[in-house]
Amino acid sequence: MQVKDIGEQGLLRILQKFCPAEIVGDDCAVMPTNPNQSLAITTDMLVDGVHFSDRTTGPYYAGWRAAAANLSDLAAMGAKPLAVTVAIAVAADTAVEWVEEFYRGMTACLQEYHTPIVGGDVVRSPVVTVAITAFGEVESDRTISRSNARSGWAIVATGVHGASRAGLELLLNPEFGQNLEKVDRASLIIAHQCPKPRLDVLPIVWEILDSAGEFSIAGMDSSDGLADAIIQICRASGVGAKVDRTKIPIPDIFSEIVSTEKALDWALYGGEDFELVLFLPITSAQLLVEKIGNRAAIVGIATDSTDIWLTDSSGIYSDAILKLDRGFQHF
């Protein structure tokens, strides 16, 4: 049997057997450091030709996206970033300027969140490869997990989905979207090249939950797509969901460049939007959406079934089961 026979999720299930069950399974490992605080740790690896290329990002934006991916994982756990370490593997003939630009991009993203690079490693490799480990701090009773969702809770997406995928399409295919205004074209490309981790959402979440007098929330980020996030949370929590396609926040400009079906596909499976997907009681969810604004929306509801349905409140489309196999998988 080969890795391609079991796929990415199958390989992860095997590897998780080697880790403490109470620590792995979320966007970060969370390890208590004292009675009130926990250390959140996440590692992401990026490989040239798989996660980035000069054709679509260049070194500066590749660095930005690498940092943003790790900060987004911390946000998904409710953690405040503290620092990152960076291990980079490059060929001997790699231009020094390329490496410097990569680090400038990382630093530009990290500085917005007062997060320093505190160490790492450099080795030789025929393929440029980067591994970033990010460290964050979270109050023990404010850790956001994928396994806390309950039937009847609302599902919140903190912003539009599909913009990054559209930006990638514009970079790969210059003929695509020629009818777009320059500002709209640029906004979609920036969505792909400079995604913003939603650490800004956390203070609003804490304010709402503190007012409710309880900490009731589950979540993760949508780096692998909105559908992936919803499915992963449902599986970890043992619940199902009904997701209304008409409620999914999609960039308005999509109506000028792609079909309705393509727009939905990019929103559900395009990935790399780095928004948060949160399950929480309906009243708290409504307050959260109101306070966040900027297209945040309640896109569905958790159910006591194990099925995850894509529904249509307009009655035009038939219900369909959401599945992981339509999103990006490494194997």
Side-chain angles (χ1 to χ4, degrees), residues 281-317:
I282 291 178
T283 300
S284 296
Q286 291 170 335
L287 285 173
L288 180 62
V289 166
E290 180 181 340
K291 287 180 177 292
I292 295 175
N294 295 323
R295 300 295 305 278
I298 294 175
V299 300
I301 190 168
T303 67
D304 56 9
S305 169
T306 56
D307 294 325
I308 302 163
W309 289 95
L310 179 66
T311 65
D312 179 17
S313 59
S314 70
I316 298 175
Y317 298 93

Side-chain angles (χ1 to χ4, degrees), residues 206-229:
W206 307 149
E207 177 187 352
I208 290 171
L209 296 181
D210 285 345
S211 297
E214 60 178 350
F215 190 84
S216 301
I217 192 169
M220 63 179 288
D221 76 351
S222 63
S223 56
D224 288 328
L226 177 60
D228 175 271

Side-chain angles (χ1 to χ4, degrees), residues 28 39 48 57 59 68 132 146 148 176 222 271 287 305 312 320 323:
C28 298
L39 183 66
D48 188 13
T57 50
I132 300 178
R146 300 179 188 180
N148 290 337
F176 174 73
S222 63
L287 285 173
S305 169
D312 179 17
K323 297 181 179 179

Side-chain angles (χ1 to χ4, degrees), residues 227-258:
D228 175 271
I230 293 172
I231 292 169
Q232 298 280 15
I233 295 168
C234 286
R235 286 183 175 180
S237 298
V239 298
K242 290 184 177 180
V243 181
D244 188 343
R245 61 189 293 154
T246 69
K247 305 299 184 184
I248 295 173
I250 295 173
D252 293 332
I253 198 65
F254 273 19
S255 61
E256 299 183 22
I257 55 175
V258 292

Side-chain angles (χ1 to χ4, degrees), residues 67-87:
N70 281 266
L71 294 180
S72 184
D73 281 341
L74 292 177
M77 299 298 298
K80 174 185 176 181
L82 297 174
V84 304
T85 60
V86 182

